[in-house]
Amino acid sequence: MKKQLAVVLAILTLFVSAGCSPADTQDANKAQTTQEQQVDKGKAEKATIGEVAGLGDTAQDWEAEFGHPYAQGDTLKVYKGGLYEVVFENDRAVTITLPAKDGKEPATDMLLPRDGKKQSENSQQTGGMTMIVEKWHSDMLEKAIPDTKGTYTVMKNKNGKEYDSIIVDCTPNLKK
């Protein structure tokens, strides 16, 4: 009995000298649970507005999705070999230009807010050029960039029947 008591006291002495206590174990478990909750919350907050990083998302979201931009200035960053030219304002993508490859319409849907609702569409033809302008609204975009009031514009530029580019813009405070 004395031997067992001595062993228990020795083990407790080791724990105490190592700075451990039963309360520390509980605190460590709570801290781990809190960290796991924060990671889960961070993942939920980092979810992109569209299917992939796009309009209203952060530069960090864009880099995670498409890699490091190969050319960049103060606000303009170019991703995927020129496939996406993005203007950031306050670390949020506010303008995306997609040059057309071989005259085909660039795929923009995945870059647009998932909850976007088209408000209007009109087109204007000048010579052989046609510009189709679509006005959209998104609650998710409004939450990400309140100054936009959730409004964004998709401008499709066509030369005859071939596309030149598509520009997606939600620049807050844009003067017309």
Side-chain angles (χ1 to χ4, degrees):
M1 182 80 162
K2 286 184 183 180
K3 212 176 201 183
Q4 291 173 340
L5 185 58
V7 169
V8 170
L9 286 174
I11 291 172
L12 284 175
T13 303
L14 284 172
F15 281 127
V16 170
S17 65
C20 294
S21 71
D24 289 343
T25 304
Q26 290 174 351
D27 290 343
N29 288 339
K30 284 181 186 176
Q32 183 177 0
T33 302
T34 302
Q35 286 175 343
E36 289 169 357
Q37 289 171 344
Q38 287 174 342
V39 167
D40 290 341
K41 183 179 176 186
K43 286 180 184 175
E45 288 175 357
K46 289 183 182 178
T48 58
I49 294 172
E51 291 177 37
V52 298
L55 192 67
D57 289 314
T58 65
Q60 184 178 6
D61 291 333
W62 273 82
E63 285 192 31
E65 186 75 39
F66 301 111
H68 191 71
Y70 83 90
Q72 61 184 24
D74 291 338
T75 56
L76 176 69
K77 298 181 189 286
V78 180
Y79 295 89
K80 292 194 78 160
L83 187 59
Y84 306 115
E85 297 172 2
V86 185
V87 174
F88 289 90
E89 186 176 302
N90 297 324
D91 194 44
R92 294 285 182 166
V94 294
T95 304
I96 305 168
T97 303
L98 299 101
K101 303 291 186 205
D102 300 323
K104 296 180 182 164
E105 181 176 1
T108 55
D109 291 346
M110 64 184 183
L111 302 171
L112 301 177
R114 290 186 297 269
D115 69 338
K117 293 178 182 69
K118 190 187 294 189
Q119 305 295 307
S120 67
E121 178 178 330
N122 63 50
S123 63
Q124 182 175 4
Q125 191 167 4
T126 307
M129 297 292 294
T130 303
M131 178 177 280
I132 302 164
V133 178
E134 302 172 348
K135 299 286 185 177
W136 293 75
H137 183 271
S138 163
D139 292 334
M140 293 172 76
L141 180 62
E142 185 171 15
K143 187 175 180 182
I145 310 173
D147 288 346
T148 65
K149 297 180 182 152
T151 303
Y152 62 99
T153 305
V154 178
M155 295 166 277
K156 299 177 181 181
N157 299 309
K158 292 174 81 174
N159 187 0
K161 293 185 179 187
E162 294 187 350
Y163 282 87
D164 280 341
S165 65
I166 293 182
I167 301 168
V168 180
D169 183 77
C170 70
T171 308
N173 307 317
L174 182 66
K175 304 291 183 213
K176 292 187 177 183

